[in-house]
Amino acid sequence: MKKRFLCLSLVFAMAAMQAMPVSAARKDEIAAEKSATENKLSQAQAAVASLESQKNALMGQISSAQQQLVNVITQIDMLDDQIQVKEADIAQTQEELKQAEADRDEQYEAMKKRIQYMYENSTNGSWAQQLLESDSIASMLTTAENTEKMYSYDREELNKLKETVQQVADLETQLEGEKADLESTKQEQEGMQQSLQSQVNSLQATASDYEAQIASAQQQAQQYKSLIQQQNAQLQQIQQQEEAARKAAAAQKQSESKTAEKSETGKTAETAEAEEKETTQTTENTPAEDNSTKEAPAADSNDAEETVQPETTVKEEADEEETPAVEETPVAEETPAVEETPEAEETPAVEETPVVEETPAVEETPVVEETPVVEETPVVEETPAVEETPVVEETPVVEETPAEEETTVSSGNSALGSQIVAYAEQFIGNPYVYGGNSLTNGIDCSGFVQQIYAHFGYSLPRTSDAQGTVGTSVSWENSQAGDIIVYPGHVAILTGDGGIVHASNSAPYPQGGIKYTSNALYTSYITIRRIV
C-alpha cells in the first residue's frame, strides 16, 4: 500500500515538474508580447503628441489668418462707409454743377437779351443811331461808356459762372477719382478677404484631418492598453498557476517526507526490537556460562579473578553490541527528512522575495550619500540669477529709447525723402495691376511703395498693413516728403506739398494707374510712417 502511494506521489510530482517548464515558456512568450505591445503603445502616444503639436501650430496659423481676415473685413466696412460718403459728395457736387451750369446759361441768355435789346430794340433806334443823334460828344461818350460797362459786367459775370462750372466739374472729377480709388482698394481688400478665407478653410480642413488622425491614434493606443491589460491578466494567471503548482509540489514533498519518516520510524522500531531480542539472548547466555564456571574445579584466586574478568568482558561486549542499536538509530539516518525539508526546497517563495535580498535598499541608502542635493544646492550657487539680473542690466530698452532715436530720424533726411518722391514720380502714368510687381508694366499700391524704397536699399513688407508697422510714427503736421501714409487697405508716398504719389486703381490714367493726387487727406488715414 505504501509503495502504491509513493508511486502515485512520484507520478504527480513528475507531472507538476513537466507543467512548470511549459508555463514558464508561455509566461516568457506573453512577457515578450507585452513588451512589444508597450513599445507600440509608446509609439502611438508619441504619434498623438506629435499630431497634437502640429495641430496646435496649425490652430495658431488659423487664429492669425482669422485675425487678418477680421482686419480686412473691418477695412472693407470702413471703405464701404467712405465710398458712401464719396457718393454723397459726388451727388451733391453734381447738383452744384447743374446749378452752376444753369446760372451760367441764365446769365448768358440775359446778356444776349441785353445786347439784342441795345442793338436791335432801342426805342430811339439803333445803338449807332443813338450815338449819331447825341446832343454832344460827351453824351455820346457817356452812352458808349455805359454800353461798355454793361458789356464788361456781362462778360465778367459770364466768366465767373464759367469758372464756377469748371471748379464744380473738377471737383466732380476729383470725387469720382477718389471714389474709384476707394473702390479699387475695396476690390483689393475683397480679393485679400477671399484669399484669407480660402487659406482659413484649407487650414481648418487640415486641422480636421489632424483631429481624425489624432482620434485614430488615440483609439489605437486604447487598443494597445486593453491588450496590455489582457496580457497582464494572463501573466497573473500563469503566476497563480505556478504558485499553486509550487504549493502542490511542496505539499507532495512534505507528504513523501512524512511517509518516509514513518517508514524509517517503523524500520527503527524493528531494528530496536531485533537488537533488544539479541540483548535478551546475550543476557540469557551469560548465566549459562556462569554455571559452567561454577562446575569447573576451583582454582586459585588468580583463576577466580580471571573468571570474573570474562564476565565483565561479556557484559562490556553486550553493551558494545547494544550500542550499535543506538548508533543505528535510524532517527539519525532519518535526518534526510530534515535535509529533504521540502519546505526548504519550496522556499522559492522566500527566494522570490527579492525584497530581502534586495536589502540594498538599506545599503543603497544613497539618499544619505546622495545628500548632494544639499551640496548641489546650485540654487544658492547659481544665484547668478541675482548676479545676472539681466532684467535690470537689460534695461537698455529704456536706454535705447528707440522712440527718441526715431524721433531724431524723423527730423532728418528730407533730402533723401525728396529724392524718393522724384524717383517715384518718374513712373506716373504707368498702369495699376493688383498683385503686380513691375513699376513699368503694372503694380499695386503696396508693391509700388516696396519697389520705390527697394531702389534706395530699404526692405519693406509686401502688404499695406505690414508697411504700417515699420519705421517711426509721425503726425500729419510733422510729415515730410518721402514718408508713407497708410489708409484702410491702401498706402501711398507723401510728396511734401499735401499730396501723394501712388498706384491708385485699375482705371486708365489719369483716373487710375500710378498718379499724383493733390489732396492726401481725401479720406481718413491710419498712420504715417517715416522710413528715412
Side-chain angles (χ1 to χ4, degrees), residues 189-442:
Q189 295 301 303
E190 287 174 344
M192 190 177 295
Q193 178 185 2
Q194 292 177 356
S195 176
L196 287 171
Q197 187 63 57
S198 176
Q199 182 182 356
V200 168
N201 293 339
S202 176
L203 291 172
Q204 287 177 341
T206 306
S208 299
D209 184 54
Y210 275 123
E211 289 175 355
Q213 293 181 33
I214 290 170
S216 176
Q218 288 175 340
Q219 183 179 3
Q220 191 175 17
Q222 189 60 41
Q223 291 175 353
Y224 288 143
K225 288 180 180 178
S226 300
L227 183 57
I228 289 172
Q229 290 176 354
Q230 294 175 6
Q231 290 167 341
N232 285 333
Q234 291 177 356
L235 288 172
Q236 187 176 4
Q237 184 179 3
I238 290 173
Q239 288 176 350
Q240 290 174 353
Q241 291 175 353
E242 288 178 348
E243 186 64 24
R246 287 193 193 96
K247 289 182 179 179
Q252 182 61 30
K253 287 182 180 180
Q254 187 175 7
S255 176
E256 290 176 358
S257 174
K258 288 181 179 179
T259 304
E261 188 176 338
K262 289 179 180 178
S263 177
E264 290 296 331
T265 304
K267 289 180 181 179
T268 304
E270 290 176 358
T271 305
E273 187 177 345
E275 288 176 352
E276 188 177 352
K277 287 180 181 179
E278 289 178 0
T279 305
T280 304
Q281 290 177 359
T282 304
T283 305
E284 290 175 355
N285 291 333
T286 303
E289 289 176 359
D290 289 341
N291 292 332
S292 61
T293 303
K294 287 179 182 179
E295 291 176 357
D300 53 17
S301 58
N302 290 333
D303 295 326
E305 290 174 0
E306 289 176 0
T307 307
V308 174
Q309 287 175 355
E311 291 177 1
T312 308
T313 304
V314 173
K315 290 180 180 179
E316 290 174 356
E317 287 176 358
D319 293 335
E320 289 173 357
E321 289 176 359
E322 274 185 335
T323 48
V326 179
E327 289 173 1
E328 264 186 345
T329 54
V331 179
E333 292 176 357
E334 188 187 350
T335 51
V338 178
E339 291 173 0
E340 278 182 17
T341 54
E343 285 108 7
E345 290 178 1
E346 187 192 347
T347 53
V350 179
E351 289 173 4
E352 271 185 17
T353 56
V355 180
V356 180
E357 292 175 356
E358 230 181 274
T359 52
V362 179
E363 292 174 0
E364 262 184 35
T365 58
V367 179
V368 180
E369 293 174 359
E370 237 180 69
T371 53
V373 175
V374 179
E375 292 174 4
E376 257 183 51
T377 57
V379 178
V380 180
E381 292 174 3
E382 252 185 79
T383 52
V386 179
E387 293 173 4
E388 276 182 24
T389 55
V391 178
V392 179
E393 292 175 4
E394 250 184 340
T395 51
V397 176
V398 180
E399 293 173 5
E400 276 187 55
T401 56
E404 293 179 3
E405 290 180 4
E406 287 172 357
T407 311
T408 306
V409 175
S410 68
S411 64
N413 208 339
S414 59
L416 181 56
S418 298
Q419 293 177 23
I420 290 172
V421 171
Y423 178 71
E425 288 177 340
Q426 294 178 13
F427 302 98
I428 290 177
N430 290 337
Y432 170 95
V433 175
Y434 175 68
N437 289 294
S438 173
L439 290 169
T440 55
N441 298 324

Side-chain angles (χ1 to χ4, degrees), residues 185 188 432-433 443-450 462 464 467 489-492 502-504:
T185 302
E188 287 184 16
Y432 170 95
V433 175
I443 198 166
D444 59 15
C445 61
S446 57
F448 176 73
V449 173
Q450 183 189 49
R462 182 61 179 81
S464 58
Q467 289 174 0
H490 190 59
V491 63
H502 60 135
S504 57

